[in-house]
Amino acid sequence: MSGTPIRHFFARRFCIDRRLADTTKTTYEASLSTLGEFATTHQDLQTDDPDVELLTDEILSEWIIWCEDQTTPKGEKRWASRTIHGKRADVLAILRYAAIKLLRPEPGVVRPVNVPRHIPRAWSRDDFEKVLAACNTLAGYLPNGLPARLYFRACYEVAFYTGLRRGDLWRLNILTDVSADGTIATVQGKTMEGHVTAIPPETRKNLLIMYYRLKRDGEVHAELPLRWPANPRAIYDWTHKICKASGVDESGAFQRIRRTGATDLHKHHPGKAKYYLGHRTDGLAERNYIDPRFCPIVTPDPLADHRRRPA
């Protein structure tokens, strides 16, 4: 009985079922390429496209060690710990989905990667307003004919109010996902979980304006007004213009919007950021998204009740 090569499974099942955006797909492909480079040297695999059934916890752990040992011609580490951590997460996500499809057992204990603690950085609410104001000053049009100022203002606002990832924003359907009252109900591409949030009337109005303009111009995907119509790399040029005009730090702009929204929400409604971000894991929002500069995170003391003095 022939096995199921992981690249084949990724392209034919994982990508399609999870509706991966092009940028996300590229990241996964880079992780699979690294795995393939290792697999060609492993005596039990000897191919750059190993079967999902053969990727045991032991072999995956050996792959992590191999990644950590790789160096450049200058003797520097080939990948940072955070990069290896991401590659590990990508491959495990594919294998867990293969387990759901009954092609292999659920992955067990795979060697972890020690990553230096990451302190989340968001924009302040005032800085985010500056970003939106800068969007309004953009000149020029996108390849699909939409004014750049209209597109980015709407895209950033929807990202802020919903917590949706970039790929989910690009797939947002104005006809099926957005209700008349601004409620958005969609399925996240990364987790395949339902996500319900809301946007203000003015933001919904701008989405409709974009939809009708695209429809008028005969755009095939008019119902997806936030769909990026150019090379994914081109969006960074626009982001640079926006951040430069607003005077804010542009590193990880889309992630900063999610962090800004999560931080602002946690400040007023502690504990709700997890649902806003669409996370299934407790504590992930606090570790990776809520900026302690604007919203101090208080860790509950489990012994607090025992330490109180009697009245």
Side-chain angles (χ1 to χ4, degrees):
M1 182 178 178
S2 60
T4 305
I6 190 169
R7 290 176 188 265
H8 177 86
F9 177 77
F10 171 74
R12 299 295 180 87
R13 297 300 300 271
F14 191 84
C15 281
I16 295 173
D17 292 353
R18 301 217 165 186
R19 301 187 300 168
L20 297 185
D22 289 341
T23 51
T24 306
K25 181 179 177 181
T26 299
T27 301
Y28 274 99
E29 288 173 340
S31 299
L32 289 176
S33 177
T34 303
L35 176 65
E37 186 179 343
F38 159 78
T40 56
T41 67
H42 195 281
Q43 60 180 359
D44 294 336
L45 301 175
Q46 298 183 352
T47 174
D48 65 352
D49 192 11
D51 295 345
V52 295
E53 301 91 334
L54 299 180
L55 293 171
T56 63
D57 296 343
E58 292 75 15
I59 288 179
L60 291 172
S61 294
E62 291 177 30
W63 171 52
I64 298 301
I65 295 173
W66 177 86
C67 288
E68 293 173 335
D69 290 342
Q70 294 300 296
T71 58
T72 67
K74 294 182 178 180
E76 302 171 343
K77 291 182 70 68
R78 186 175 175 186
W79 296 293
S81 297
R82 191 173 298 279
T83 301
I84 299 174
H85 177 77
K87 292 178 181 295
R88 175 183 181 275
D90 290 343
V91 170
L92 287 178
I94 297 170
L95 295 180
R96 289 191 182 105
Y97 195 63
I100 291 175
K101 296 302 180 181
L102 305 180
L103 296 177
R104 55 160 289 136
E106 179 80 13
V109 180
V110 176
R111 179 185 175 87
V113 180
N114 293 322
V115 179
R117 187 177 185 277
H118 171 71
I119 299 177
R121 286 292 177 252
W123 289 320
S124 68
R125 187 64 185 268
D126 288 342
D127 281 347
F128 182 62
E129 292 299 330
K130 293 177 184 177
V131 170
L132 294 180
C135 290
N136 292 335
T137 67
L138 288 175
Y141 295 82
L142 301 184
N144 59 4
L146 287 178
R149 56 178 175 77
L150 178 62
Y151 175 88
F152 281 99
R153 171 90 191 200
C155 186
Y156 284 12
E157 284 186 344
V158 175
F160 175 79
Y161 287 113
T162 66
L164 289 174
R165 298 173 178 86
R166 186 170 60 181
D168 294 325
L169 289 171
W170 291 355
R171 289 190 297 270
L172 187 68
N173 190 313
I174 186 66
L175 301 181
T176 61
D177 298 337
V178 186
S179 301
D181 64 354
T183 299
I184 291 181
T186 186
V187 175
Q188 300 175 96
K190 183 174 182 178
T191 64
M192 299 306 290
E193 296 283 341
H195 194 62
V196 181
T197 48
I199 54 176
E202 188 64 26
T203 304
R204 178 178 177 272
K205 177 182 176 182
N206 287 335
L207 290 178
L208 286 172
I209 291 173
M210 293 162 64
Y211 163 67
Y212 287 120
R213 289 190 64 150
L214 292 171
K215 186 177 180 181
R216 179 199 64 190
D217 295 341
E219 171 63 39
V220 176
H221 302 288
E223 72 280 3
L224 309 178
L226 297 180
R227 180 177 180 269
W228 182 244
N231 186 305
R233 299 295 306 176
I235 200 168
Y236 298 111
D237 295 331
W238 287 102
T239 300
H240 176 71
K241 292 180 183 179
I242 295 168
C243 293
K244 184 177 180 180
S246 58
V248 303
D249 186 348
E250 70 175 279
S251 59
F254 265 98
Q255 278 284 33
R256 280 192 182 246
I257 296 174
R258 294 187 79 215
R259 291 179 189 140
T260 301
T263 300
D264 190 67
L265 179 62
H266 186 81
K267 183 176 181 179
H268 298 94
H269 303 282
K272 298 296 184 182
K274 170 186 174 181
Y275 306 101
Y276 162 84
L277 294 166
H279 289 166
R280 290 181 291 190
T281 304
D282 291 331
L284 193 59
E286 289 77 6
R287 290 195 301 271
N288 296 330
Y289 285 86
I290 298 174
D291 191 330
R293 297 177 301 169
F294 307 126
C295 185
I297 300 172
V298 179
T299 303
D301 183 352
L303 300 179
D305 290 339
H306 299 280
R307 291 173 178 160
R308 290 176 183 165
R309 295 180 180 178

